[in-house]
Amino acid sequence: MKWVSFQWAGKRQVGSLSADGREVQPLAMAASRGVLELIEHLAGGGAMPQATGPRLPLSAVQLEAPLPRQRRNLFCVGRNYRAHAAELAGSVFKGSAPKDDGWPMVFSKPPQTVIAPGAKVELPRSSQGLVSDNIDYEAELAVVIGRGGKNIERSRALEHVFGYTIVNDVTARDVQLRHGQWHLGKSFDTFCPMGPSIVTPDECDGTATRVRLWVNGELRQDAHTRDFIFDIPSLIETCSRGITLLPGDVIATGTPAGVGMGMAPPRWLQAGDVMRIEIDGIGVLENPVV
């Protein structure tokens, strides 16, 4: 099943996307926090809400991020593809690549970064002008937790997955480097496009899917989640160690090689660029830069 959040008749609603992606079937339920309402309802033992009203053409509704109002930060993983770690090995990140027998690199992005498919990614400005002109893209598969838990064992981790979505972990590289940690450079408003849907594991195997990103039609990133250094069960086990994961929590699993920073010379995003991400089994997430 593919679950979406959307605006229709002046209010936010939740529904399922048809197999051909052209129609959405609304559910009879409160939806102030989008698909998060459905995830929490089901995690609490509630029955699947009934469909309500006719199917709506997707072209007639305003699609939102499936989780437009999360209650806390996203968990994000850095350097989780071997080729991406290698492409930055000679940069200022030299020596920081994770090892197979080590630990994942985990940081966070606040909920205010999340925007909808098609929404504008804004180059950050202050009264003094641009805060950064070293803006980069990062196509990522994101895991959405369905059943919460603490100290989740790797062998049972996939039982806690509600589904998968796409995120673009947009990053201000110079800010990321300036502060010696990653949070501020990852956390500007609009720096986390998400969507278009959350796809349940019966329709998308996040452990074996393809991730691609284009900028203005030029393919920049193309990899497979089988190339992860730390697989999805390991990431869930790590993030839940001593920390209670909640229904609706998001774990972004890292980006493949091909980021702008890894090119010679670096190729930063500019106003007018359009980023398009496609993950097999989920769909397309496209956002312009302004």
Side-chain angles (χ1 to χ4, degrees):
M1 193 69 72
K2 293 185 177 181
W3 299 108
V4 295
S5 300
F6 61 97
Q7 290 282 339
W8 171 255
K11 65 177 181 178
R12 178 174 289 145
Q13 300 190 46
V14 168
S16 59
L17 200 59
S18 62
D20 62 9
R22 296 180 179 179
E23 295 180 319
V24 60
Q25 175 63 66
L27 296 184
M29 63 173 295
S32 63
R33 291 177 293 158
V35 181
L36 179 58
E37 299 268 10
L38 175 63
I39 296 172
E40 292 180 335
H41 173 75
L42 297 176
M48 178 62 68
Q50 296 294 313
T52 181
R55 289 180 175 270
L56 302 170
L58 188 64
S59 59
V61 306
Q62 181 183 341
L63 197 64
E64 297 189 307
L67 300 171
R69 290 186 59 188
Q70 291 174 271
R71 53 185 167 184
R72 65 176 181 181
N73 287 19
L74 293 76
F75 295 85
C76 302
V77 179
R79 309 292 160 71
N80 200 28
Y81 287 83
R82 291 175 176 83
H84 175 54
E87 77 176 336
L88 297 186
S91 74
V92 291
F93 291 113
K94 184 178 181 180
S96 67
K99 301 177 181 178
D100 289 337
D101 58 352
W103 294 90
M105 303 168 68
V106 182
F107 58 95
S108 73
K109 292 174 82 84
Q112 291 80 5
T113 59
V114 174
I115 59 172
K120 299 172 182 177
V121 172
E122 300 174 3
L123 301 177
R125 287 185 173 274
S126 72
S127 58
Q128 285 76 43
L130 278 176
V131 176
S132 168
D133 58 4
N134 291 184
I135 307 301
D136 211 347
Y137 50 82
E138 293 192 4
E140 304 198 16
L141 173 78
V143 179
V144 181
I145 298 298
R147 179 161 58 90
K150 181 178 179 179
N151 298 323
I152 298 170
E153 296 181 6
R154 185 185 186 284
S155 60
R156 307 295 297 271
L158 293 180
E159 298 174 15
H160 292 257
V161 175
F162 177 81
Y164 302 96
T165 191
I166 304 171
V167 300
N168 189 344
D169 179 20
V170 181
T171 305
R173 296 297 187 190
D174 49 350
V175 177
Q176 179 185 18
L177 298 175
R178 180 188 308 145
H179 292 279
Q181 48 73 43
W182 296 7
H183 181 71
L184 291 180
K186 301 278 190 174
S187 297
F188 291 102
D189 292 351
T190 76
F191 269 30
C192 190
M194 177 189 289
S197 62
I198 298 175
V199 184
T200 51
D202 59 309
E203 293 194 17
C204 176
D205 180 3
T207 67
T209 192
R210 188 181 184 187
V211 179
R212 287 174 289 173
L213 176 142
W214 294 259
V215 177
N216 303 329
E218 177 190 1
L219 182 63
R220 298 278 188 90
Q221 295 182 286
D222 187 357
H224 203 282
T225 58
R226 286 193 298 259
D227 300 330
F228 283 165
I229 296 173
F230 301 99
D231 63 15
I232 291 171
S234 296
L235 298 179
I236 294 173
E237 180 182 57
T238 296
C239 292
S240 71
R241 184 171 282 118
I243 299 172
T244 300
L245 294 184
L246 305 174
D249 275 345
V250 172
I251 301 174
T253 57
T255 199
V259 296
M261 185 181 191
M263 299 179 180
R267 297 174 66 182
W268 308 120
L269 291 169
Q270 306 292 325
D273 287 346
V274 176
M275 301 171 288
R276 175 185 171 92
I277 301 172
E278 184 170 349
I279 296 183
D280 291 352
I282 300 178
V284 173
L285 175 65
E286 185 171 289
N287 296 86
V289 179
V290 299

